[in-house]
Amino acid sequence: MQTNFKDYTPDQLQLPLSYGDIIPKDHLVRVVNTIVDELDLSTLYDRYPGGGCPAYHPQMMLKVMIFAYSQKIYSSRQIAKALRENINFIWLSGGNTPDFRTINRFRGDMKDIIEDVFYEVVHLLLEKGYIRLENYFLDGTKIEANANKYTFVWNKAVKGYDRKLDEKVRAHLSQIDRIVAEENAIYLDDDLEELGNEPLTSAQLQGVVNSIDARLKETPKDRSLKKAARKFKKDFLPRKVKYEKANATFHGRGSYSKTDPDATFMRMKEDHMLNGQLKPGYNIQIGTENDFIIGITVHPNPTDTRTMIPHLEHVKEKLGKLPKNIVADAGYGSEENYEYLDDEKVNAYVKYNKFHWEKLKKNRENIFLVDNLKYAEETDSYICPVGRHMPHLYRKRYVTEAGYETFRDYYRCVDCSDCPLTEQCKSSEGPRTIQVSHRLNAWKRMANELLCSEKGVELRKRRVCEVEQTFGRIKGCWGFRRFLLRGKPKVTTEWMLLSIAHNITKMAATLNG
């Protein structure tokens, strides 16, 4: 029996001749093309001064970048390859084939206008009714930076080295004092006694070097001064400049990476058991509504507490107002954040650190916990489990790292000597002393009332499905766990492109039912 095969002639010209006829009508690439066409990209066009060799069309380049990120293609070389081989990319680019250098340069140069493009998409979502700026689900995640994880610089270590350097400098200056009769010839305006233990600066060390050089002109054969001059020029002064530069780079952080100074060392969650290690990274804060990302900020600090206010201020600036309800987990439940949300007249569905802990039966029934002690407002005192008063002792002022001023009130029991519950009530010697923040407790009661309401329970359930699902898609499904670019501006560009791709993909899924 004769074997039959379907016709196979690779070189034969076939219809249709347009790639657009091959691509399905509901394909994501068509949605990307349509959405970008609707955006106001004037800020993008303004970057091109005109003249010279014609540039690739910025609208085409933006479409390609967004579609590439939605297809889990992040490398500029891989994007350039797709533009030559993938019919979706070929159709979207109109047959243009920019090389990887052009693609990488375009992505890097977008750092000044990418936020405008992202919020243009958000405003489009608002116009089309996908979002209403009613519920804002806030959360953060840590993404590893494109930096060597062994090139870390620690703030505490630098301060220690700097302090030891100052001690060595003072010791050498004392030695020079014994050699040179004129004390101020070396120290210029300040001698050691006047400087005391204040940290020295590179300007002061440079002044010492200038003074030694001036002295050497008078006594050019003085070997001791020559040795001191070499020590200051080759060792002390360069090290002081290095430490000052490092201290200026920290910006209140505990560490940074030499290969990406904007990145901070953070503990990354490597698996479901939360096993991990310190790696350079960024704290990405996003806010979602109906699974769409509507707010983004990138932070170098690893904790979420200090990110809420700058994040929401940024969102308010870009959107003109804050959403009605802010929903967040216990990482954001601080006194400063509660006060800010109250000042902004928004509903704070924000947990505090003991929200779930205090709901446990064993904690609700524990009569020795500070939260369960009865407070007598008329006498400003607490009452212990056996009925003894704990009068107000004193108030202490605290200032947080962010500069927020708060107060703690201390109360102490009059006498615990013959109390039958002493062993259960306290573990230290002397009368029991407790610390209370009345203002924070008031915010917690208000937050608890909102969180335990019918709407609060609903929003708490939705938060897990909203923002956590978004992170899961980008990090899990799309496999984006490490930035390709370095520096906060370029890192922000990458995350903005991811977020735009995510939003348009969600729009495409909604349109296709």
Side-chain angles (χ1 to χ4, degrees):
M1 179 181 291
Q2 185 178 2
T3 303
N4 295 324
F5 295 102
K6 291 183 182 294
D7 184 44
Y8 173 64
T9 52
D11 295 330
Q12 181 176 342
L13 186 64
Q14 298 180 8
L15 295 175
L17 298 178
S18 171
Y19 288 116
D21 295 333
I22 303 173
I23 300 172
K25 297 297 182 183
D26 58 351
H27 198 280
L28 176 61
V29 71
R30 292 188 181 275
V31 180
V32 171
N33 183 64
T34 302
I35 294 300
V36 175
D37 283 343
E38 294 182 35
L39 301 179
D40 179 9
L41 301 178
S42 55
T43 55
L44 182 60
Y45 298 143
D46 290 343
R47 293 173 52 249
Y48 295 83
C53 180
Y56 286 104
H57 201 290
Q59 190 180 48
M60 178 274 295
M61 296 291 289
L62 180 61
K63 290 177 181 179
V64 168
M65 294 301 302
I66 294 172
F67 184 64
Y69 272 71
S70 72
Q71 301 302 299
K72 302 186 290 186
I73 304 176
Y74 313 120
S75 164
S76 57
R77 292 179 184 271
Q78 291 299 318
I79 296 173
K81 184 173 183 289
L83 286 169
R84 298 191 302 269
E85 301 175 358
N86 189 308
I87 59 172
N88 295 319
F89 281 90
I90 294 172
W91 174 80
L92 188 63
S93 67
N96 287 288
T97 56
D99 61 14
F100 73 93
R101 294 183 183 86
T102 304
I103 295 170
N104 200 41
R105 190 184 309 114
F106 176 82
R107 179 170 55 183
D109 290 344
M110 285 185 69
K111 60 182 182 292
D112 297 327
I113 55 93
I114 188 63
E115 283 190 356
D116 296 331
V117 176
F118 170 77
Y119 285 104
E120 274 294 316
V121 176
V122 174
H123 283 108
L124 187 64
L125 292 171
L126 196 58
E127 291 174 9
K128 293 181 176 292
Y130 289 101
I131 60 175
R132 294 183 299 172
L133 294 184
E134 182 177 357
N135 301 318
Y136 192 81
F137 299 91
L138 174 64
D139 203 358
T141 190
K142 298 178 180 66
I143 303 291
E144 186 180 353
N146 181 14
N148 190 327
K149 63 182 179 180
Y150 300 110
T151 59
F152 42 76
V153 180
W154 298 102
N155 195 339
K156 187 176 180 180
V158 170
K159 282 182 168 56
Y161 295 146
D162 198 10
R163 185 176 60 255
K164 290 179 180 178
L165 176 61
D166 287 351
E167 293 173 0
K168 288 184 178 180
V169 169
R170 287 188 169 91
H172 275 71
L173 290 177
S174 297
Q175 185 178 3
I176 295 173
D177 261 353
R178 291 193 293 270
I179 299 171
V180 181
E182 297 178 7
E183 194 175 86
N184 290 332
I186 299 299
Y187 294 125
L188 297 179
D189 298 329
D190 298 310
D191 59 18
L192 281 181
E193 293 181 0
E194 291 176 351
L195 286 174
N197 293 322
E198 289 294 319
L200 302 176
T201 65
S202 59
Q204 289 174 319
L205 265 63
Q206 183 62 56
V208 171
V209 170
N210 295 339
S211 296
I212 295 176
D213 288 343
R215 182 72 179 180
L216 281 173
K217 290 181 179 179
E218 301 174 4
T219 57
K221 296 183 178 181
D222 192 327
R223 294 182 178 180
S224 299
L225 282 179
K226 285 183 178 180
K227 184 177 179 181
R230 285 195 301 269
K231 190 68 175 176
F232 274 88
K233 291 178 182 178
K234 302 294 185 182
D235 185 12
F236 293 160
L237 185 56
R239 283 166 60 190
K240 176 59 71 172
V241 172
K242 175 184 174 183
Y243 297 151
E244 287 182 346
K245 183 179 179 181
N247 285 322
T249 306
F250 285 121
H251 292 297
R253 296 178 291 161
S255 62
Y256 71 85
S257 172
K258 293 180 182 178
T259 46
D260 184 358
D262 289 345
T264 307
F265 279 80
M266 310 175 182
R267 185 163 294 279
M268 304 287 179
K269 299 175 184 177
E270 297 295 322
D271 55 28
H272 63 283
M273 295 299 290
L274 306 185
N275 298 315
Q277 57 179 306
L278 287 175
K279 292 182 179 179
Y282 293 90
N283 187 353
I284 310 298
Q285 297 289 314
I286 70 168
T288 66
E289 185 182 27
N290 295 335
D291 295 332
F292 292 99
I293 301 175
I294 59 177
I296 298 171
T297 50
V298 178
H299 303 267
N301 45 304
T303 57
D304 291 336
T305 309
R306 291 172 54 192
T307 63
M308 173 180 272
I309 295 177
H311 175 85
L312 293 180
E313 282 292 303
H314 177 79
V315 171
K316 184 172 68 172
E317 177 189 350
K318 293 297 182 179
L319 300 180
K321 65 175 183 178
L322 285 177
K324 183 179 178 182
N325 304 313
I326 306 297
V327 188
D329 62 16
Y332 302 89
S334 70
E335 182 179 333
E336 182 179 6
N337 290 341
Y338 284 131
E339 184 171 336
Y340 170 81
L341 294 173
D342 184 67
D343 292 340
E344 293 295 329
K345 309 301 181 186
V346 296
N347 297 321
Y349 293 90
V350 180
K351 296 178 184 177
Y352 44 90
N353 57 352
K354 288 188 176 182
F355 175 74
H356 293 290
W357 180 86
E358 68 183 19
K359 299 291 186 292
L360 298 176
K361 182 179 179 181
K362 65 176 183 178
N363 296 322
R364 291 199 316 269
E365 298 177 352
N366 189 341
I367 60 176
F368 302 103
L369 293 177
V370 176
D371 295 337
N372 295 334
L373 296 179
K374 184 180 178 181
Y375 176 65
E377 187 174 357
E378 62 278 2
T379 59
D380 190 17
S381 63
Y382 279 84
I383 301 174
C384 77
V386 296
R388 298 181 182 181
H389 283 264
M390 305 175 68
H392 185 268
L393 192 61
Y394 60 89
R395 168 174 283 194
K396 191 173 182 179
R397 173 179 172 269
Y398 292 91
V399 179
T400 66
E401 293 181 359
Y404 179 75
E405 183 181 63
T406 183
F407 297 91
R408 296 291 182 268
D409 290 288
Y410 290 80
Y411 297 82
R412 179 176 293 169
C413 188
V414 177
D415 185 17
C416 297
S417 58
D418 59 344
C419 179
L421 303 178
T422 299
E423 293 183 0
Q424 298 168 268
C425 186
K426 64 186 184 70
S427 58
S428 59
E429 296 181 359
R432 183 182 180 185
T433 304
I434 62 173
Q435 171 186 312
V436 178
S437 172
H438 292 293
R439 188 162 57 175
L440 178 58
N441 287 342
W443 296 127
K444 286 182 177 181
R445 286 191 292 269
M446 294 173 61
N448 185 71
E449 185 177 348
L450 283 173
L451 290 165
C452 293
S453 65
E454 184 177 346
K455 185 174 182 61
V457 173
E458 177 196 351
L459 291 176
R460 281 159 51 196
K461 292 178 180 178
R462 285 183 56 190
R463 191 193 71 83
V464 180
C465 302
E466 281 265 356
V467 65
E468 298 286 1
Q469 178 178 286
T470 302
F471 282 136
R473 179 183 201 177
I474 294 176
K475 297 175 69 175
C477 300
W478 289 4
F480 192 90
R481 293 181 172 273
R482 191 172 191 264
F483 289 107
L484 275 71
L485 306 180
R486 293 179 177 178
K488 184 180 175 181
K490 292 185 177 181
V491 161
T492 303
T493 299
E494 277 198 274
W495 193 261
M496 289 282 181
L497 285 170
L498 277 167
S499 300
I500 294 170
H502 166 82
N503 286 345
I504 293 180
T505 304
K506 294 296 293 185
M507 291 175 69
T510 304
L511 291 171
N512 297 331

